[in-house]
Amino acid sequence: MTKALLFDFDGTLLDTNGLIIETFMHVLNERFPGQYQPQDCVRFLGPSLAETFKEIAPDEVDELIGKYRAWNLEHHDELVKEYEGVVETLEKLKEMGLRLAIVSTKRRNTIARGLEIIGATHLFEVIIGVDDVSHVKPDPEPILLALEKLGLNQSDVIMIGDNSHDIEGGKNAGVRTAGVAWAFKGKDFLQQFNPDYMLNHMSDLISIVKEA
């Protein structure tokens, strides 16, 4: 029986892809003029900022993260939007008795801001951000922490996300997983990681939890 749903945030519940890519372009063009194009930043969707900037400029990680967060925060509200049907479906799932949680590589305060924008703050019982863990997805730590806070077992939940880190993290934690077809990298990309379910629309979760 499915008792709870764990959601990634960026690219799953909130369309932040444009914001993320524009933020990376701002930071990288300032530091490495002309070396990056928007399509180069697609691979940065999913990993933590620390992982990404460690790969790009290992001696400047903290400085680049600071610049990223400053620009991202300034432009956040104007560049993000809800995916169609997300909040409506979350409300129905909550009414059905499902417990909802977020497991993200974002900081908790930024997650809270996004939830406020789409009017979903009241729906989530547990929020796990990058500032709550030592290791981010695909490490199982954040998902296992969410289970601990919910008081549930691996068999009770599904981890839902738009990136390989979400699917692999779920598998590493021993929980069922679901990919979302609206992922920026595409449905075919996610299918490579063999999620248990694939959502073509957020409302598909309603039938999935009923069957499960």
Side-chain angles (χ1 to χ4, degrees):
M1 179 179 178
T2 303
K3 298 179 181 178
L5 300 172
L6 313 181
F7 293 91
D8 177 52
F9 194 61
D10 286 349
T12 301
L13 301 181
L14 188 69
D15 185 354
T16 56
N17 295 317
L19 171 66
I20 292 170
I21 290 173
E22 286 196 41
T23 307
F24 273 117
M25 286 301 297
H26 170 80
V27 173
L28 295 176
N29 276 338
E30 182 181 87
R31 176 61 182 83
F32 307 100
Q35 293 187 34
Y36 287 87
Q37 299 300 320
Q39 60 268 27
D40 300 321
C41 299
V42 174
R43 65 190 176 97
F44 304 147
L45 298 171
S48 69
L49 292 176
E51 290 173 320
T52 295
F53 287 126
K54 186 175 181 180
E55 175 189 336
I56 295 170
D59 296 328
E60 304 172 47
V61 173
D62 291 341
E63 179 184 354
L64 293 175
I65 287 177
K67 290 182 177 181
Y68 179 100
R69 285 178 171 160
W71 197 92
N72 187 279
L73 186 62
E74 181 181 352
H75 299 274
H76 181 276
D77 294 3
E78 67 190 81
L79 294 176
V80 301
K81 58 184 178 180
E82 174 195 348
Y83 286 108
E84 194 273 325
V86 162
V87 174
E88 178 184 357
T89 301
L90 291 173
E91 294 275 10
K92 290 180 180 177
L93 291 165
K94 191 81 169 178
E95 290 171 5
M96 291 167 60
L98 274 296
R99 300 169 70 186
L100 308 179
I102 289 174
V103 181
S104 172
T105 55
K106 291 185 81 165
R107 291 190 301 175
R108 288 174 59 116
N109 64 338
T110 314
I111 297 169
R113 186 164 180 171
L115 287 173
E116 187 175 347
I117 287 172
I118 63 174
T121 303
H122 62 294
L123 295 172
F124 292 92
E125 184 176 338
V126 169
I127 297 175
I128 306 296
V130 67
D131 31 5
D132 295 306
V133 295
S134 299
H135 304 92
V136 297
K137 298 171 294 185
D139 191 280
E141 180 188 351
I143 294 171
L144 294 177
L145 178 59
L147 288 176
E148 180 184 335
K149 288 182 176 292
L150 289 165
L152 297 176
N153 299 315
Q154 279 94 334
S155 59
D156 295 328
V157 309
I158 303 172
M159 176 70 216
I160 301 131
D162 70 308
N163 216 310
S164 59
H165 295 69
D166 306 308
I167 308 305
E168 292 180 320
K171 290 181 179 295
N172 290 337
V175 306
R176 286 168 291 153
T177 59
V180 299
W182 55 91
F184 193 81
K185 295 180 181 179
K187 181 178 179 178
D188 291 342
F189 170 79
L190 280 184
Q191 291 282 24
Q192 299 176 74
F193 303 94
N194 300 310
D196 296 286
Y197 312 100
M198 181 63 69
L199 310 182
N200 290 303
H201 187 273
M202 190 70 169
S203 59
D204 291 346
L205 274 173
I206 294 173
S207 58
I208 287 172
V209 298
K210 285 180 178 179
E211 292 170 5

